Amino acid sequence: QEDRVPLKAPTPNVLNLPVVKGRSSDKLDSQDAASVAGSNKHSSRSAYSNVSSIGSEFINEHIPEHKKQVALIQSQMKAFVKGMVKGRDMSVLSVDGQLRTCTCSFDRKLRNYNILISKETRAIPLAKFREVFEGLEPEDIATPLDELCCTFVLENGECLTFRFKDVEERTNFAKCLQIIVDGHQ
């Protein structure tokens, strides 16, 4: 085979600088440079910024839907974990249908689910969570459930039910908690 030397493409005049005949365009005098700088309506930085914006729109339009979903879930998980480490006021539903206000939280290492009621804290290892149900499930417990409930089943069969203000909040909580629980299995 022959050794081929790649041809060098001509360098485009990106900044649209005037080429002065009879001398190198690299050696513009100060008047020429000031004239060029003053006559350009868009600097190279503005041109790059416009290309960058158009590029971002193009990329966003062509990102596969599953990647958008992954980014959304990651964002929701980050907010969920941050809120739970800080502590979140919730309503726990007892078997007799009474709602009690409590504060639920995760420890910083995401090992325990802590429930604080009346200055008493119960720490439940997340590894002991078996399932997270939404709404009217599980059907075989005595607690009166509705669409706003989220019930955790622990490995010993105990169920803990929390009630949320709306279905969206319940769904987001259950989905995020299930991801955490799955990570401990």
Side-chain angles (χ1 to χ4, degrees):
Q1 288 195 355
E2 297 176 14
D3 288 341
R4 294 184 179 191
V5 177
L7 296 174
K8 186 175 179 186
T11 305
N13 192 352
V14 177
L15 298 178
N16 295 321
L17 296 174
V19 178
V20 181
K21 298 199 184 233
R23 59 182 182 189
S24 168
S25 63
D26 290 341
K27 297 179 183 173
L28 296 175
D29 61 28
S30 61
Q31 285 183 322
D32 289 337
S35 171
V36 168
S39 66
N40 278 343
K41 291 183 181 176
H42 299 290
S43 70
S44 63
R45 185 174 182 155
S46 295
Y48 173 77
S49 177
N50 289 339
V51 170
S52 176
S53 297
I54 293 168
S56 297
E57 289 171 15
F58 176 82
I59 289 168
N60 287 336
E61 288 174 7
H62 291 85
I63 290 177
E65 193 59 36
H66 73 278
K67 287 192 177 187
K68 289 179 185 176
Q69 291 295 330
V70 167
L72 176 64
I73 291 169
Q74 286 174 334
S75 172
Q76 289 173 335
M77 284 300 298
K78 183 177 180 178
F80 174 75
V81 169
K82 189 175 181 179
M84 286 299 294
V85 168
K86 186 188 295 186
R88 174 178 179 164
D89 289 336
M90 297 178 65
S91 297
V92 64
L93 183 62
S94 62
V95 177
D96 65 2
Q98 295 291 318
L99 279 175
R100 294 181 66 189
T101 301
C102 63
T103 301
C104 296
S105 64
F106 292 148
D107 63 335
R108 290 201 177 277
K109 293 188 178 184
L110 302 184
R111 291 193 180 136
N112 294 306
Y113 187 93
N114 303 310
I115 305 170
L116 174 66
I117 300 177
S118 304
K119 299 180 184 177
E120 299 269 332
T121 300
R122 178 178 177 193
I124 305 167
L126 286 163
K128 296 197 182 281
F129 281 59
R130 286 295 156 246
E131 289 189 76
V132 179
F133 290 98
E134 297 181 53
L136 301 171
E137 294 185 56
E139 295 176 356
D140 60 347
I141 64 172
T143 307
L145 303 175
D146 63 26
E147 286 300 317
L148 301 177
C149 293
C150 178
T151 303
F152 318 150
V153 179
L154 305 179
E155 68 182 10
N156 65 3
E158 180 183 4
C159 294
L160 298 169
T161 300
F162 293 86
R163 194 159 192 281
F164 295 86
K165 67 179 181 188
D166 58 42
V167 173
E168 182 181 354
E169 182 185 22
R170 182 221 60 207
T171 301
N172 186 52
F173 183 89
K175 176 177 59 176
C176 292
L177 183 64
Q178 186 67 61
I179 291 170
I180 299 287
V181 168
D182 289 348
H184 282 76
Q185 302 294 315

Coordinates of all heavy atoms in Angstrom, one line a residue, residues 62-128:
H62 N -33.8 14.4 20.6 CA -33.4 13.1 20.1 C -33.0 12.1 21.2 O -32.5 11.0 20.9 CB -32.3 13.2 19.1 CG -32.9 13.8 17.8 ND1 -33.0 15.2 17.6 CD2 -33.4 13.3 16.7 CE1 -33.5 15.4 16.4 NE2 -33.8 14.3 15.8
I63 N -33.1 12.6 22.5 CA -32.7 11.7 23.6 C -33.8 10.6 23.6 O -35.0 10.9 23.6 CB -32.7 12.4 24.9 CG1 -31.5 13.3 25.0 CG2 -32.6 11.4 26.1 CD1 -31.4 14.2 26.2
P64 N -33.4 9.3 23.7 CA -34.5 8.3 23.8 C -35.4 8.5 25.0 O -34.9 9.0 26.1 CB -33.6 7.0 23.9 CG -32.3 7.4 23.4 CD -32.1 8.8 23.7
E65 N -36.6 8.1 24.9 CA -37.6 8.3 25.9 C -37.2 7.7 27.2 O -37.4 8.2 28.3 CB -39.0 7.8 25.5 CG -40.1 8.3 26.4 CD -40.3 9.8 26.5 OE1 -40.0 10.5 25.5 OE2 -40.6 10.2 27.6
H66 N -36.6 6.5 27.2 CA -36.2 5.8 28.4 C -35.1 6.6 29.2 O -35.1 6.6 30.4 CB -35.8 4.4 28.1 CG -34.4 4.2 27.5 ND1 -34.2 4.4 26.1 CD2 -33.2 4.0 28.0 CE1 -33.0 4.2 25.8 NE2 -32.3 4.0 26.9
K67 N -34.3 7.3 28.5 CA -33.2 8.1 29.2 C -33.9 9.3 29.9 O -33.4 9.7 30.9 CB -32.2 8.5 28.2 CG -31.2 7.4 27.8 CD -30.0 7.9 27.1 CE -29.1 6.7 26.7 NZ -27.8 7.1 26.2
K68 N -34.9 9.8 29.3 CA -35.6 10.9 29.9 C -36.3 10.4 31.2 O -36.3 11.1 32.2 CB -36.7 11.5 29.0 CG -36.1 12.3 27.8 CD -37.2 12.9 26.9 CE -36.6 13.6 25.7 NZ -37.6 14.0 24.8
Q69 N -36.9 9.2 31.1 CA -37.6 8.6 32.2 C -36.5 8.3 33.3 O -36.8 8.5 34.5 CB -38.3 7.3 31.8 CG -39.5 7.5 31.0 CD -40.6 8.2 31.7 OE1 -40.7 8.1 32.9 NE2 -41.4 9.0 30.9
V70 N -35.4 7.8 33.0 CA -34.3 7.5 34.0 C -33.9 8.8 34.7 O -33.8 8.9 35.9 CB -33.1 6.9 33.3 CG1 -31.9 6.8 34.2 CG2 -33.5 5.4 32.9
A71 N -33.7 9.9 33.9 CA -33.4 11.2 34.5 C -34.5 11.7 35.4 O -34.2 12.2 36.5 CB -33.1 12.2 33.4
L72 N -35.7 11.5 35.1 CA -36.8 11.9 35.9 C -36.9 11.1 37.2 O -37.0 11.7 38.3 CB -38.2 11.8 35.2 CG -39.4 12.1 36.0 CD1 -39.4 13.6 36.4 CD2 -40.7 11.7 35.2
I73 N -36.7 9.8 37.1 CA -36.7 9.0 38.3 C -35.5 9.3 39.2 O -35.6 9.4 40.4 CB -36.7 7.5 38.0 CG1 -38.0 7.1 37.3 CG2 -36.4 6.6 39.2 CD1 -38.1 5.8 36.7
Q74 N -34.3 9.6 38.6 CA -33.2 10.0 39.4 C -33.4 11.3 40.2 O -33.1 11.4 41.3 CB -31.9 10.1 38.5 CG -31.4 8.8 38.1 CD -30.2 8.9 37.1 OE1 -30.1 9.9 36.4 NE2 -29.4 7.9 37.0
S75 N -34.1 12.2 39.5 CA -34.4 13.5 40.1 C -35.4 13.3 41.3 O -35.2 13.9 42.4 CB -35.0 14.4 39.1 OG -35.4 15.6 39.7
Q76 N -36.4 12.5 41.1 CA -37.4 12.2 42.1 C -36.7 11.5 43.3 O -37.0 11.8 44.4 CB -38.5 11.3 41.5 CG -39.4 12.1 40.6 CD -40.5 11.2 39.9 OE1 -40.3 10.0 39.8 NE2 -41.6 11.8 39.5
M77 N -35.8 10.5 43.0 CA -35.2 9.8 44.1 C -34.3 10.7 44.9 O -34.3 10.6 46.1 CB -34.3 8.6 43.5 CG -35.1 7.4 43.0 SD -36.1 6.7 44.3 CE -34.8 6.1 45.5
K78 N -33.6 11.6 44.2 CA -32.7 12.5 45.0 C -33.5 13.4 45.9 O -33.2 13.5 47.1 CB -32.0 13.4 44.0 CG -31.0 14.4 44.6 CD -30.2 15.2 43.6 CE -29.2 16.1 44.2 NZ -28.4 16.8 43.3
A79 N -34.7 13.9 45.4 CA -35.5 14.8 46.3 C -36.1 13.9 47.4 O -36.2 14.4 48.6 CB -36.6 15.4 45.5
F80 N -36.5 12.7 47.1 CA -37.1 11.8 48.1 C -36.2 11.5 49.2 O -36.5 11.6 50.4 CB -37.6 10.5 47.4 CG -38.1 9.5 48.4 CD1 -39.4 9.6 49.0 CD2 -37.4 8.3 48.7 CE1 -39.8 8.6 49.8 CE2 -37.8 7.4 49.6 CZ -39.1 7.5 50.1
V81 N -35.0 11.1 48.9 CA -34.0 10.7 49.9 C -33.6 11.9 50.7 O -33.5 11.8 51.9 CB -32.7 10.0 49.2 CG1 -31.6 9.9 50.2 CG2 -33.1 8.7 48.6
K82 N -33.4 13.0 50.1 CA -33.0 14.3 50.8 C -34.1 14.6 51.8 O -33.8 14.9 53.0 CB -32.8 15.4 49.8 CG -32.2 16.6 50.4 CD -31.9 17.7 49.3 CE -31.3 18.9 49.9 NZ -31.0 19.9 48.8
G83 N -35.4 14.6 51.4 CA -36.5 14.9 52.3 C -36.6 13.8 53.4 O -36.9 14.2 54.6
M84 N -36.4 12.6 53.1 CA -36.5 11.5 54.1 C -35.3 11.6 55.1 O -35.5 11.3 56.3 CB -36.6 10.2 53.5 CG -38.0 9.9 52.9 SD -39.4 10.0 54.0 CE -39.0 8.6 55.1
V85 N -34.1 11.9 54.7 CA -33.0 12.0 55.6 C -33.3 13.2 56.6 O -33.0 13.1 57.8 CB -31.7 12.2 54.9 CG1 -30.6 12.6 55.8 CG2 -31.3 10.9 54.2
K86 N -33.9 14.3 56.1 CA -34.2 15.5 56.9 C -35.3 15.1 57.8 O -35.4 15.6 58.9 CB -34.6 16.6 56.0 CG -34.8 17.9 56.7 CD -35.4 19.0 55.8 CE -34.5 19.4 54.7 NZ -35.0 20.6 54.0
G87 N -36.3 14.3 57.4 CA -37.4 14.0 58.2 C -38.7 14.6 57.6 O -38.7 15.7 57.1
R88 N -39.7 13.8 57.5 CA -41.0 14.2 56.8 C -42.2 13.9 57.7 O -42.3 12.8 58.2 CB -41.0 13.4 55.6 CG -42.2 13.5 54.7 CD -42.1 12.6 53.5 NE -43.3 12.8 52.7 CZ -43.4 12.4 51.5 NH1 -42.4 11.9 50.9 NH2 -44.5 12.5 50.8
D89 N -43.0 14.9 57.9 CA -44.3 14.7 58.6 C -45.2 13.9 57.8 O -45.4 14.2 56.6 CB -44.9 16.1 59.0 CG -44.1 16.9 60.0 OD1 -43.4 16.3 60.8 OD2 -44.3 18.1 60.0
M90 N -45.7 12.8 58.4 CA -46.6 11.9 57.8 C -47.8 11.5 58.7 O -47.8 11.9 59.9 CB -45.9 10.7 57.3 CG -44.8 11.0 56.3 SD -43.8 9.6 55.8 CE -45.0 8.6 54.9
S91 N -48.8 10.8 58.1 CA -49.9 10.3 58.9 C -49.9 8.8 58.9 O -50.0 8.2 57.8 CB -51.2 10.9 58.3 OG -51.3 12.3 58.4
V92 N -49.8 8.2 60.0 CA -49.8 6.7 60.1 C -51.3 6.3 60.4 O -51.9 7.0 61.2 CB -48.8 6.2 61.1 CG1 -49.1 6.6 62.5 CG2 -48.7 4.6 61.0
L93 N -51.8 5.3 59.7 CA -53.2 4.8 59.9 C -53.2 3.6 60.7 O -52.5 2.6 60.4 CB -53.8 4.6 58.5 CG -55.2 4.2 58.4 CD1 -56.1 5.3 59.0 CD2 -55.6 3.8 57.0
S94 N -53.9 3.6 61.9 CA -54.0 2.5 62.7 C -55.1 1.5 62.3 O -55.9 1.8 61.4 CB -54.2 2.9 64.2 OG -55.4 3.5 64.3
V95 N -55.1 0.3 62.8 CA -56.0 -0.7 62.5 C -57.5 -0.3 62.7 O -58.4 -0.6 61.9 CB -55.7 -2.0 63.3 CG1 -56.8 -3.1 63.0 CG2 -54.4 -2.6 62.9
D96 N -57.7 0.6 63.7 CA -59.0 1.1 64.0 C -59.4 2.3 63.1 O -60.5 2.9 63.3 CB -59.2 1.4 65.5 CG -58.3 2.5 66.0 OD1 -57.6 3.1 65.1 OD2 -58.4 2.8 67.2
G97 N -58.6 2.7 62.2 CA -58.9 3.8 61.3 C -58.4 5.2 61.8 O -58.7 6.2 61.1
Q98 N -57.8 5.2 62.9 CA -57.3 6.5 63.5 C -56.0 6.9 62.8 O -55.2 6.1 62.6 CB -57.1 6.4 65.0 CG -58.3 6.1 65.8 CD -59.3 7.3 65.8 OE1 -58.8 8.4 66.0 NE2 -60.5 7.0 65.7
L99 N -56.0 8.2 62.4 CA -54.7 8.8 61.9 C -53.9 9.5 63.0 O -54.5 10.2 63.8 CB -55.1 9.8 60.8 CG -55.4 9.3 59.4 CD1 -55.8 10.5 58.5 CD2 -54.3 8.6 58.8
R100 N -52.7 9.2 63.0 CA -51.8 9.8 64.0 C -50.6 10.5 63.2 O -50.1 9.9 62.3 CB -51.2 8.8 64.9 CG -52.3 8.2 65.8 CD -51.7 7.2 66.8 NE -50.8 7.9 67.8 CZ -50.1 7.2 68.6 NH1 -50.1 5.9 68.7 NH2 -49.3 7.9 69.5
T101 N -50.3 11.7 63.6 CA -49.2 12.4 63.0 C -47.9 11.9 63.5 O -47.7 11.6 64.7 CB -49.3 13.9 63.2 OG1 -50.6 14.4 62.7 CG2 -48.2 14.7 62.6
C102 N -46.9 11.7 62.6 CA -45.6 11.2 63.0 C -44.6 11.8 62.1 O -44.9 12.5 61.1 CB -45.5 9.7 62.9 SG -45.8 9.0 61.2
T103 N -43.3 11.7 62.5 CA -42.2 12.1 61.6 C -41.5 10.9 61.2 O -41.0 10.1 62.0 CB -41.3 13.1 62.3 OG1 -42.1 14.2 62.7 CG2 -40.2 13.6 61.4
C104 N -41.3 10.7 59.9 CA -40.6 9.6 59.4 C -39.3 10.1 58.7 O -39.2 11.1 58.1 CB -41.4 8.8 58.3 SG -42.9 8.1 59.0
S105 N -38.3 9.2 58.9 CA -37.0 9.6 58.3 C -36.1 8.4 58.0 O -36.4 7.3 58.5 CB -36.2 10.5 59.2 OG -35.9 9.9 60.4
F106 N -35.1 8.6 57.2 CA -34.0 7.6 57.0 C -32.8 8.1 57.8 O -32.6 9.3 57.9 CB -33.6 7.5 55.5 CG -34.6 6.9 54.6 CD1 -34.7 7.4 53.3 CD2 -35.5 6.0 55.0 CE1 -35.6 6.9 52.4 CE2 -36.4 5.4 54.1 CZ -36.5 5.9 52.8
D107 N -32.0 7.1 58.2 CA -30.7 7.5 58.8 C -29.8 7.9 57.6 O -30.2 7.6 56.4 CB -30.1 6.4 59.6 CG -29.8 5.1 58.9 OD1 -30.5 4.9 57.8 OD2 -28.9 4.4 59.3
R108 N -28.7 8.5 57.8 CA -27.9 9.0 56.7 C -27.3 7.9 55.8 O -27.0 8.2 54.7 CB -26.7 9.9 57.3 CG -27.2 11.2 57.8 CD -26.0 12.2 57.9 NE -26.5 13.5 58.4 CZ -27.1 14.4 57.6 NH1 -27.2 14.2 56.3 NH2 -27.4 15.5 58.1
K109 N -27.2 6.7 56.3 CA -26.7 5.6 55.5 C -27.8 4.8 54.8 O -27.5 3.8 54.2 CB -25.8 4.7 56.4 CG -24.5 5.4 56.8 CD -23.6 4.4 57.5 CE -22.3 5.2 57.9 NZ -21.3 4.3 58.5
L110 N -29.0 5.3 55.0 CA -30.2 4.7 54.3 C -30.3 3.2 54.8 O -30.6 2.3 53.9 CB -30.1 4.8 52.8 CG -30.1 6.2 52.2 CD1 -30.1 6.1 50.7 CD2 -31.1 7.1 52.8
R111 N -30.1 2.9 56.0 CA -30.3 1.6 56.5 C -31.6 1.4 57.3 O -32.1 0.3 57.4 CB -29.1 1.2 57.4 CG -27.8 1.1 56.7 CD -26.7 0.5 57.5 NE -25.5 0.4 56.7 CZ -24.3 0.7 57.1 NH1 -24.1 1.1 58.4 NH2 -23.3 0.6 56.3
N112 N -32.1 2.5 58.0 CA -33.2 2.4 58.8 C -34.3 3.4 58.4 O -34.0 4.5 58.0 CB -32.9 2.6 60.3 CG -32.0 1.5 60.8 OD1 -32.3 0.4 60.8 ND2 -30.8 1.9 61.4
Y113 N -35.6 2.9 58.6 CA -36.7 3.8 58.4 C -37.2 4.1 59.9 O -37.5 3.2 60.6 CB -37.8 3.0 57.7 CG -39.0 3.9 57.3 CD1 -39.1 4.5 56.1 CD2 -40.1 4.0 58.2 CE1 -40.2 5.3 55.8 CE2 -41.2 4.8 57.9 CZ -41.3 5.4 56.7 OH -42.4 6.1 56.3
N114 N -37.1 5.4 60.2 CA -37.4 5.8 61.6 C -38.8 6.4 61.6 O -39.1 7.3 60.8 CB -36.3 6.8 62.1 CG -34.9 6.2 62.0 OD1 -34.7 5.1 62.5 ND2 -34.0 6.9 61.4
I115 N -39.5 6.0 62.7 CA -40.9 6.6 62.9 C -40.9 7.2 64.3 O -40.7 6.5 65.2 CB -42.0 5.5 62.8 CG1 -41.9 4.8 61.4 CG2 -43.3 6.2 62.9 CD1 -42.8 3.6 61.3
L116 N -41.1 8.5 64.3 CA -41.1 9.2 65.6 C -42.6 9.6 65.9 O -43.2 10.4 65.1 CB -40.3 10.5 65.5 CG -40.3 11.5 66.7 CD1 -39.7 10.8 67.9 CD2 -39.5 12.7 66.4
I117 N -43.2 9.0 67.0 CA -44.5 9.4 67.4 C -44.4 9.7 68.9 O -43.9 8.8 69.7 CB -45.5 8.2 67.2 CG1 -45.6 7.8 65.7 CG2 -46.9 8.6 67.7 CD1 -46.4 6.6 65.4
S118 N -44.9 10.8 69.3 CA -45.0 11.2 70.7 C -43.6 11.0 71.4 O -43.6 10.3 72.5 CB -46.1 10.4 71.4 OG -47.3 10.6 70.8
K119 N -42.6 11.5 70.8 CA -41.2 11.4 71.4 C -40.7 10.0 71.5 O -39.6 9.8 72.1 CB -41.2 12.1 72.7 CG -41.5 13.6 72.7 CD -41.4 14.3 74.0 CE -41.9 15.7 73.9 NZ -41.9 16.4 75.2
E120 N -41.3 9.0 70.9 CA -40.9 7.6 70.9 C -40.4 7.3 69.4 O -41.2 7.6 68.5 CB -42.0 6.7 71.3 CG -42.5 6.9 72.7 CD -41.8 6.0 73.7 OE1 -41.3 4.9 73.3 OE2 -41.7 6.4 74.8
T121 N -39.2 6.8 69.3 CA -38.7 6.5 67.9 C -38.6 5.0 67.7 O -38.1 4.3 68.6 CB -37.4 7.1 67.7 OG1 -37.5 8.5 67.8 CG2 -36.8 6.8 66.3
R122 N -39.1 4.5 66.6 CA -39.0 3.1 66.2 C -38.1 3.1 65.0 O -38.5 3.7 64.0 CB -40.4 2.5 66.0 CG -40.2 1.1 65.5 CD -41.6 0.4 65.3 NE -41.4 -0.9 64.8 CZ -42.4 -1.6 64.3 NH1 -43.6 -1.2 64.3 NH2 -42.2 -2.9 63.9
A123 N -37.0 2.4 65.0 CA -36.2 2.2 63.9 C -36.4 0.9 63.2 O -36.2 -0.2 63.9 CB -34.7 2.4 64.3
I124 N -36.8 0.8 62.0 CA -37.0 -0.4 61.3 C -36.0 -0.6 60.2 O -35.9 0.3 59.3 CB -38.4 -0.5 60.7 CG1 -39.5 -0.2 61.7 CG2 -38.7 -1.8 60.0 CD1 -40.9 0.1 61.2
P125 N -35.1 -1.6 60.2 CA -34.2 -1.8 59.2 C -34.8 -1.9 57.8 O -35.8 -2.7 57.7 CB -33.4 -3.1 59.6 CG -33.6 -3.2 61.0 CD -35.0 -2.6 61.3
L126 N -34.4 -1.2 56.8 CA -35.0 -1.2 55.5 C -34.8 -2.6 54.9 O -35.7 -3.0 54.1 CB -34.4 -0.2 54.6 CG -34.9 1.2 54.9 CD1 -33.9 2.3 54.3 CD2 -36.3 1.4 54.4
A127 N -33.9 -3.4 55.4 CA -33.7 -4.8 54.9 C -34.8 -5.7 55.3 O -35.1 -6.7 54.7 CB -32.4 -5.3 55.4
K128 N -35.6 -5.2 56.3 CA -36.8 -6.0 56.8 C -38.1 -5.7 56.1 O -39.1 -6.3 56.3 CB -36.9 -5.8 58.3 CG -35.7 -6.4 59.1 CD -36.1 -6.5 60.6 CE -34.9 -7.0 61.3 NZ -34.6 -8.4 61.2

